[in-house]
């Protein structure tokens, strides 16, 4: 993209937990992490509790599935936080902000909190413009490793629509499951969920996401799903301290294993990010070299 090279543009963003967690750190978000979600079955959802939101990446098709599976209704009186996407390539950050800004009692960085306060009362479009014109937010977004990134390259050009990918977020709000998509004019209410049923809101979101996936050809792999969840490390540490105080050796062993799994996961995220940066640099070098060789051959 030509405008990706300008100082004021938003860069491509990778659908990877490591990138999103780096973004959370840059925004001063505490107590939350983004985790991989390979399945929407009960066991996978249970392993990620407390679960606050689902970030869904899909291949975007212009004019298709306007309300996310056809079951939802626009809610122009949505009482939570929502902003529209007003610039290219910002959909990942817009999606997670639309998610975390609706999660109660979450600690946010000073700059993000001030931006939210400043934008209170603005319409969805203007709020999106305020956020995406923020230099520090764009810098935080662009500082992350983007080698194999995905983006919505052009908001309205059919020419690139077949290759465009887009992030949206699903989350519970006042008893209903909402889809917050920065390209839509308002939040989409997909209906109420039964809080007494196991995985209540997530079960409803699963139905909506599966309905959307069903609109694509069988066997399509143009999707990715991530979970915004409470950081389990402090929770496990508290439980471990309590188990030690009560000398519960078997519980201590299980909690220590859980702690190790979580720490190893973070090590993989960090290492994976470095590996991708190296691969991205190699690919760029190869591209530049081939370009120079082609110029030489043309002389």
């Amino acid at each position: 993209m030509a405008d990706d090279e300008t100082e004021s543009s938003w860069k491509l963003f990778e659908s990877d937990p490591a990138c999103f967690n780096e973004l959370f750190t840059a925004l001063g978000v505490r107590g939350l992490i983004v985790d991989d979600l390979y399945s929407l079955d009960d066991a996978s959802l249970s392993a990620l509790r407390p679960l606050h939101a689902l970030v869904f990446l899909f291949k975007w098709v212009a004019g298709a599935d306007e309300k996310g599976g056809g079951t939802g209704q626009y809610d122009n009186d949505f009482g939570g936080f929502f902003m529209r996407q007003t610039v290219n390539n910002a959909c990942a950050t817009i999606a997670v902000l639309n998610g975390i800004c609706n999660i109660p009692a979450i600690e946010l960085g000073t700059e993000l909190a001030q931006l939210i306060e400043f934008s209170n009362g603005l319409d969805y479009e203007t709020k999106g413009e305020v956020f995406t014109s923020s230099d520090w937010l764009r810098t935080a977004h662009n500082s992350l490793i983007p080698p194999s990134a995905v983006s919505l390259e052009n908001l309205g050009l059919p020419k690139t629509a077949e290759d465009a990918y887009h992030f949206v977020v699903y989350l519970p709000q006042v008893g209903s499951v909402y889809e917050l998509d920065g390209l839509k004019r308002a939040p989409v209410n997909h209906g109420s969920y039964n809080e007494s049923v196991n995985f209540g809101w997530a079960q409803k979101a699963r139905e909506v996401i599966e309905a959307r996936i069903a609109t694509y050809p069988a066997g399509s792999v143009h999707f990715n799903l991530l979970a915004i969840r409470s950081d389990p490390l402090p929770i496990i540490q508290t439980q471990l301290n309590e188990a030690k105080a009560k000398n519960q050796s078997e519980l201590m062993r299980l909690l220590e294993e859980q702690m190790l799994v979580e720490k190893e996961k973070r090590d993989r995220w960090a290492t994976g990010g470095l590996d991708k940066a190296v691969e991205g640099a190699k690919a760029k070098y190869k591209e530049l070299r081939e370009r120079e060789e082609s110029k030489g051959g043309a002389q």
Side-chain angles (χ1 to χ4, degrees), residues 15-68:
S15 179
D16 185 277
C19 287
F20 282 101
N21 287 314
E22 288 181 40
L23 179 62
F24 278 12
T25 299
L27 300 182
V29 177
R30 297 181 181 274
L32 294 176
I33 65 168
V34 175
D35 214 337
D36 280 311
L37 183 56
Y38 299 108
S39 171
L40 283 168
D41 59 33
D42 289 355
S44 299
L45 294 173
S46 179
L48 297 178
R49 284 178 164 175
L51 179 63
H52 300 289
L54 299 174
V55 179
F56 184 53
L57 170 72
F58 60 95
K59 189 173 183 179
W60 185 81
V61 180
D65 194 22
E66 173 62 17
K67 295 180 182 177

Side-chain angles (χ1 to χ4, degrees), residues 137-150:
L137 182 60
R138 185 181 63 252
T139 299
H141 171 103
N142 288 346
S143 67
L144 305 177
I145 301 165
S148 60
V150 294

Side-chain angles (χ1 to χ4, degrees), residues 262-282:
E262 288 298 327
K263 289 182 176 179
E264 288 178 343
K265 183 191 302 179
R266 286 159 171 76
D267 289 341
R268 287 197 303 273
W269 288 342
T271 304
L274 179 59
D275 290 343
K276 289 171 184 175
V278 172
E279 291 304 313
K282 287 180 179 178

Side-chain angles (χ1 to χ4, degrees), residues 73 213 225:
Q73 297 295 325
I213 292 174
L225 194 59

Side-chain angles (χ1 to χ4, degrees), residues 213-223:
I213 292 174
T215 65
Y216 291 77
S220 295
V221 290
H222 306 298
F223 315 102

Side-chain angles (χ1 to χ4, degrees), residues 14-16 75 109 113 138 158 182 199 201 223 227 260 263 293:
E14 187 171 9
S15 179
D16 185 277
D75 185 354
R138 185 181 63 252
F199 313 110
W201 81 265
F223 315 102
L260 181 61
K263 289 182 176 179
E293 290 176 350

Side-chain angles (χ1 to χ4, degrees), residues 173-184:
Q173 188 79 356
V174 292
S176 294
V177 169
Y178 276 84
E179 172 190 343
L180 304 183
D181 180 347
L183 294 185
K184 294 183 177 177

